[in-house]
Amino acid sequence: MIRCHETQEDGDWSHEDHQISISQALHQCIATLVGHTSSYISSLTLAGKRLYTGSSDGLVRLWDATSLETLAEASSNGDVITGERGDGGAVKSLVILADKLFTAHQDHKIRVWKINDVVEEAEASNKKYMHIATMPTMSDRLAKCLMPNNQVQIRRHKKASWVHHVDAVSGLALSRDGALLYSVSWDRTLKIWRTTDFKCLESITNAHDDAINAVELSENGDIYTGSSDRKIKVWRKKNLDEEKKKKKKHYLVATLSEQDSGINALALSSYNLLYSGGSDGSILVWERDHEGGDIGVAGGLRGHTESVLCLAVVSDIVCSGSADKTVRLWKSSLADYSCLAVLEGHRGPVKCLTGAIRDSGTQSEASYHIYSGGLDSQVKVWEILVPTL
């Protein structure tokens, strides 16, 4: 296990001394985005030059992430996507597919927004983002409610059709071809949706024994779900021949139960390593064996003193955010899990993370922008320089 200690002051270039690693990263906070003044930041996603932030009041804001100057200016005038008020409670997850933005909400629903990049059309409608669907759709609900066998028991005296989530939708993930959207919920279900018409194709009831908090898709199409029941489950889509034999299109491949606490976050690296963040502050690193078979614990990252609430992989670094109000950066490789930096500056737990690698102009170091959102209602933008030699 690797521990790291930090001596950083917000806004200044800084680096840490490590007990084990010789790696060091320079880092500074270059902007603070404060558009969500009466709510906390619950989700983030980065799409090219656009940074989307979702908050606990149901609002989604758009920020221009093209330059440091623009980011600094954006701290007072981020564009609101979902109108003057949010309708669905906290925005738990955000994903983008071409010209569509999918938002997962506390009110058990998934909303779909059309991104209008044509200036003339946007000005004519006075809307750059238009709400085009709520999942499950009305037609999907009507088709299922007419048949009793489509109803499932959700409480002692209440039933609902299987297309409905009945608790907060906690995570979204897209298949590599964009044809399918996977959603997980505190209602313990994993649902699969078609992105062309937003129809619910399948629901895996009781996928876990407790709330599902995270979902990730690997390069080979496997689906990973992490839950408060301390388990990670791996799911796989059946091939066409298998689908013809059985109604269910996805099946359980493996259950990973080595984590000693509830799992709040998952992330996958390009090395096909899986990272899981727990309520005890630990991060486990999982690796599949060389034959592509069993998955086992390859290591652990120790340093957070409270729950790990979010994880993100940006190129070859892993970012972790915690209830201890810090963001930690770790080297992601098969041979090196060293701690690179600890970012301090948030005044509340760090709830969500995203980032991108940038052109540093030199081969001796890699440059990153990391975005962190917290319960202090702020999004902080960090510039990171990591030596590559």
Side-chain angles (χ1 to χ4, degrees):
M1 300 296 183
I2 300 166
R3 298 180 181 273
C4 53
H5 301 274
E6 70 280 10
T7 57
Q8 188 209 346
E9 296 184 7
D10 189 32
D12 296 326
W13 286 107
S14 173
H15 63 79
E16 300 83 33
D17 296 323
H18 305 289
Q19 290 183 351
I20 298 176
S21 172
I22 61 171
S23 299
Q24 294 182 339
L26 293 171
H27 54 278
Q28 65 172 344
C29 181
I30 56 175
T32 299
L33 313 182
V34 293
H36 300 275
T37 55
S38 60
S39 57
Y40 66 82
I41 310 301
S42 52
S43 53
L44 291 171
T45 193
L46 191 64
K49 298 177 181 179
R50 294 185 175 104
L51 174 69
Y52 295 87
T53 61
S55 62
S56 58
D57 59 4
L59 293 178
V60 177
R61 287 186 181 269
L62 167 66
W63 311 84
D64 189 340
T66 55
S67 68
L68 305 188
E69 292 77 15
T70 305
L71 284 168
E73 291 171 5
S75 62
S76 62
N77 62 0
D79 294 327
V80 177
I81 292 172
T82 55
E84 294 182 358
R85 65 180 182 85
D87 296 322
V91 183
K92 308 291 287 184
S93 184
L94 298 159
V95 296
I96 292 175
L97 173 64
D99 62 347
K100 295 181 182 66
L101 168 68
F102 294 84
T103 59
H105 293 262
Q106 186 85 28
D107 70 352
H108 320 165
K109 295 181 177 65
I110 302 165
R111 290 173 172 82
V112 190
W113 309 84
K114 175 73 182 309
I115 303 171
N116 187 358
D117 281 324
V118 180
V119 177
E120 292 79 5
E121 292 182 12
E123 290 177 349
S125 65
N126 200 29
K127 280 190 176 182
K128 192 173 180 65
Y129 292 81
M130 184 179 298
H131 176 242
I132 58 174
T134 298
M135 300 158 62
T137 61
M138 181 65 73
S139 60
D140 210 2
R141 298 199 303 268
L142 288 174
K144 300 298 186 297
C145 73
L146 297 176
M147 299 181 64
N149 61 350
N150 284 321
Q151 301 291 306
V152 294
Q153 196 82 31
I154 59 172
R155 295 188 185 90
R156 185 176 180 183
H157 300 294
K158 186 175 180 180
K159 290 185 176 182
S161 66
W162 60 265
V163 300
H164 285 84
H165 277 303
V166 294
D167 208 332
V169 183
S170 51
L172 299 174
L174 286 164
S175 61
R176 288 183 63 81
D177 61 4
L180 300 176
L181 177 73
Y182 294 85
S183 64
V184 293
S185 168
W186 292 349
D187 66 10
R188 302 181 293 153
T189 67
L190 165 66
K191 295 189 188 297
I192 300 93
W193 311 79
R194 191 162 55 206
T195 56
T196 51
D197 59 2
F198 316 126
K199 180 181 179 180
C200 188
L201 301 177
E202 186 179 356
S203 178
I204 301 174
T205 306
N206 297 322
H208 282 269
D209 298 325
D210 205 337
I212 307 176
N213 300 314
V215 58
E216 285 285 327
L217 262 68
S218 67
E219 291 184 0
N220 68 357
D222 283 353
I223 304 104
Y224 295 84
T225 55
S227 168
S228 297
D229 66 6
R230 305 184 181 188
K231 295 181 178 67
I232 299 169
K233 291 193 176 183
V234 189
W235 311 85
R236 188 169 296 162
K237 190 176 186 297
K238 295 176 181 177
N239 59 41
L240 292 176
D241 290 336
E242 290 173 325
E243 283 187 29
K244 292 176 182 177
K245 296 176 183 178
K246 293 185 179 180
K247 186 177 179 181
K248 292 292 183 181
K249 298 178 176 63
H250 291 78
Y251 64 98
L252 182 65
V253 176
T255 299
L256 314 179
S257 55
E258 283 83 350
Q259 196 111 15
D260 293 329
S261 65
I263 296 164
N264 300 317
L266 297 173
L268 282 160
S269 77
S270 58
Y271 299 99
N272 211 24
L273 297 175
L274 173 70
Y275 299 86
S276 59
S279 296
D280 60 357
S282 67
I283 302 169
L284 292 187
V285 186
W286 305 79
E287 182 183 2
R288 193 180 292 275
D289 64 28
H290 297 298
E291 287 74 31
D294 294 339
I295 302 172
V297 175
L301 312 178
R302 295 284 184 181
H304 286 297
T305 57
E306 296 185 42
S307 295
V308 176
L309 302 178
C310 52
L311 292 167
V313 174
V314 183
S315 186
D316 58 352
I317 63 171
V318 179
C319 312
S320 58
S322 170
D324 66 14
K325 306 177 186 179
T326 68
V327 176
R328 280 171 164 75
L329 309 181
W330 313 83
K331 189 71 176 175
S332 169
S333 75
L334 294 171
D336 188 2
Y337 306 132
S338 59
C339 184
L340 297 171
V342 180
L343 314 181
E344 292 183 301
H346 279 286
R347 297 192 297 272
V350 180
K351 193 71 175 66
C352 44
L353 288 163
T354 190
I357 192 167
R358 302 173 65 246
D359 183 6
S360 64
T362 172
Q363 295 183 346
S364 62
E365 61 188 11
S367 176
Y368 305 83
H369 274 172
I370 304 299
Y371 305 82
S372 57
L375 269 60
D376 57 3
S377 302
Q378 295 183 349
V379 176
K380 289 192 175 292
V381 187
W382 309 87
E383 186 171 15
I384 315 295
L385 296 177
V386 180
T388 57
L389 299 180

